[in-house]
Amino acid sequence: MKSKKILVTGGAGYIGAHTVVELFASGYSPVIIDNFSKSDRTLLDGIEKITGKALTFYEGDCTDRQFLNGVFEKEGKLEGVMHFAAYKSVGESVEFPIMYYQNNINSLLALVEVMKEHQVNNLIFSSSCTVYGEPDSIPVDEYAPFKKAESPYGATKQMCEQILEDAVRADIDLKVISLRYFNPIGAHPSAMLGELPIDKPNNLVPYITQTAASIREKLVIFGGDYDTPDGTCIRDFIHIVDLAQAHVKAIDKLLGEGISDGYQYYNLGTGQGISVLQLVKEFIEVTGVKLNYEIGPRRAGDVVKTYANPTKAKNELNWSAQYTSRDALRDAWAWEKRLRRLNT
Ligand code: UD1
């Protein structure tokens, strides 16, 4: 039997690339789109090394309907789409809000329109726990209300979910799952694939590993005076491979038994809250590497405490996180070392 083709937008990015590996492992045929605006070819090489497969790849922009149409025409029957292609830097979105709305909203609109023209009806959307803002209570389940977004980036995720919910309501054939990620970290255990920010990292773990690799002078922990046990923020750090596998479970469900109401959403987290300082200490313990860090001022717009209640994903997708944060830190460091050719 021919394996099912899944279009993966943003497939050269951190989450997209790891998901492509897991799609291959589960017998799907991923078709990748990326415009390399926030990524480069390194991760595509990594996918090929891990899977031993030749990639089907198109370079282009998801806001470009003509380009998308061309891909759908060329590929023929696509069973579903996973839409990762989006900008994701909170700080950058505050500086360039129009760019964020333009890219993140228009790409989704173009994609859904082109999907409809080609009768492709199954979509997995990359959402984020940012939709909840600062939650009233933790762990956060899927029924927590959307608070006013802390950033234009967060607003784009809320708007995209709203667009999809409305689109599903108006179209009986369209089926969508939004996956709300907590904090994905780590790398593929082979060290062939990992996070590769093209500029100075904004996220915590690439900043840690680049500091450990002496690319950055020191890690600043943003805020040590929050109302938490050690004064630093609390997050739910989830291994990237666990996150990628959840996408396969989600597409299996869409194409298999299906979902109720045409639109579903799931938190993807471990269910464990870990503080930023705890994570830094774990990194030092797990790797034995010295890390230059200090506690600095708070970063504007940071949520203080959030972690997931992942029960809905467990019950309905039969998915739960298998790796620990220590596994993720060990793998992130192995990836960084391989990338920089370090022998530490
Ligand atoms: C945020 C969003 C998340 C989004 C992600 C995309 C929330 C709750 N989360 O994650 O949905 O997908 O951005 O980038 O809005 N930190 C430091 N020093 C650093 C870097 C980070 O102390 O150099 C701290 C931050 O203050 C934060 C934690 O580490 O407390 C995690 O930060 P980061 O990795 O940037 O992710 P979030 O901001 O949690």
Side-chain angles (χ1 to χ4, degrees):
M1 198 181 79
K2 237 170 147 269
S3 63
K4 293 173 177 164
K5 279 190 193 174
I6 306 294
L7 184 69
V8 182
T9 76
Y14 175 48
I15 305 175
H18 285 84
T19 302
V20 168
V21 168
E22 298 306 322
L23 282 170
F24 273 127
S26 298
Y28 288 99
S29 286
V31 173
I32 301 172
I33 289 180
D34 210 292
N35 66 356
F36 298 121
S37 67
K38 301 281 179 192
S39 58
D40 68 32
R41 282 171 204 276
T42 313
L43 297 200
L44 295 183
D45 297 341
I47 300 172
E48 285 185 331
K49 282 198 186 108
I50 293 168
T51 62
K53 307 268 189 190
L55 301 183
T56 306
F57 172 74
Y58 296 87
E59 181 168 352
D61 195 304
C62 289
T63 60
D64 180 347
R65 286 175 171 73
Q66 227 181 330
F67 162 73
L68 287 178
N69 247 314
V71 174
F72 277 70
E73 265 163 30
K74 179 108 197 298
E75 287 301 324
K77 189 168 160 53
L78 290 164
E79 299 289 338
V81 177
M82 293 187 178
H83 183 43
F84 296 97
Y87 294 155
K88 62 141 206 170
S89 167
V90 173
E92 187 182 57
S93 80
V94 174
E95 214 179 325
F96 303 106
I98 303 305
M99 185 175 99
Y100 267 67
Y101 290 115
Q102 203 281 336
N103 186 63
N104 291 6
I105 306 294
N106 284 343
S107 63
L108 181 74
L109 295 175
L111 187 65
V112 174
E113 276 180 359
V114 175
M115 283 174 64
K116 288 317 298 173
E117 279 163 35
H118 294 267
Q119 285 112 43
V120 178
N121 287 309
N122 298 299
L123 175 66
I124 309 288
F125 175 67
S126 281
S127 189
S128 165
C129 67
T130 196
V131 297
Y132 303 119
E134 183 79 55
D136 292 329
S137 63
I138 41 177
V140 194
D141 67 24
E142 287 80 354
Y143 305 103
F146 284 14
K147 297 280 188 63
K148 186 171 168 15
E150 300 276 348
S151 68
Y153 159 76
T156 68
K157 291 296 174 192
Q158 292 182 337
M159 286 175 191
C160 285
E161 284 211 32
Q162 185 66 58
I163 288 166
L164 289 169
E165 205 176 333
D166 292 342
V168 160
R169 217 174 280 147
D171 178 347
I172 190 134
D173 295 321
L174 185 63
K175 309 277 180 239
V176 179
I177 291 180
S178 287
L179 296 176
R180 297 175 182 163
Y181 314 148
F182 281 68
N183 286 61
I185 61 166
H188 193 268
S190 66
M192 300 287 181
L193 207 55
E195 197 164 4
L196 185 57
I198 53 170
D199 302 314
K200 190 172 160 190
N202 295 300
N203 295 114
L204 179 61
V205 170
Y207 213 103
I208 291 176
T209 56
Q210 289 195 8
T211 307
S214 303
I215 298 163
R216 309 279 154 207
E217 193 199 328
K218 82 177 147 213
L219 170 79
V220 177
I221 294 180
F222 299 136
D225 57 352
Y226 286 108
D227 182 19
T228 60
D230 66 18
T232 67
C233 291
I234 291 178
R235 293 290 183 274
D236 185 333
F237 297 100
I238 173 167
H239 196 295
I240 187 68
V241 171
D242 277 328
L243 193 83
Q245 286 171 351
H247 290 75
V248 178
K249 296 274 188 172
I251 196 75
D252 284 348
K253 185 169 173 74
L254 271 189
L255 302 182
E257 71 196 65
I259 52 172
S260 52
D261 301 331
Y263 183 65
Q264 280 298 335
Y265 35 87
Y266 299 98
N267 285 346
L268 297 183
T270 64
Q272 305 279 325
I274 296 184
S275 82
V276 173
L277 185 60
Q278 255 177 300
L279 196 81
V280 167
K281 289 183 175 162
E282 276 190 2
F283 178 82
I284 296 167
E285 278 165 28
V286 167
T287 63
V289 174
K290 281 207 195 101
L291 187 76
N292 189 15
Y293 72 90
E294 66 180 30
I295 309 275
R298 294 179 176 193
R299 178 172 76 176
D302 266 339
V303 164
V304 182
K305 287 183 259 193
T306 187
Y307 58 92
N309 176 343
T311 310
K312 190 175 177 217
K314 186 170 189 343
N315 291 344
E316 296 182 20
L317 299 179
N318 189 26
W319 170 90
S320 56
Q322 303 299 313
Y323 291 97
T324 64
S325 54
R326 299 175 86 87
D327 297 328
L329 293 167
R330 184 198 58 226
D331 293 338
W333 181 231
W335 156 251
E336 187 76 56
K337 281 199 295 184
R338 194 178 153 274
L339 200 60
R340 314 294 170 190
R341 299 191 170 82
L342 298 174
N343 301 313
T344 326

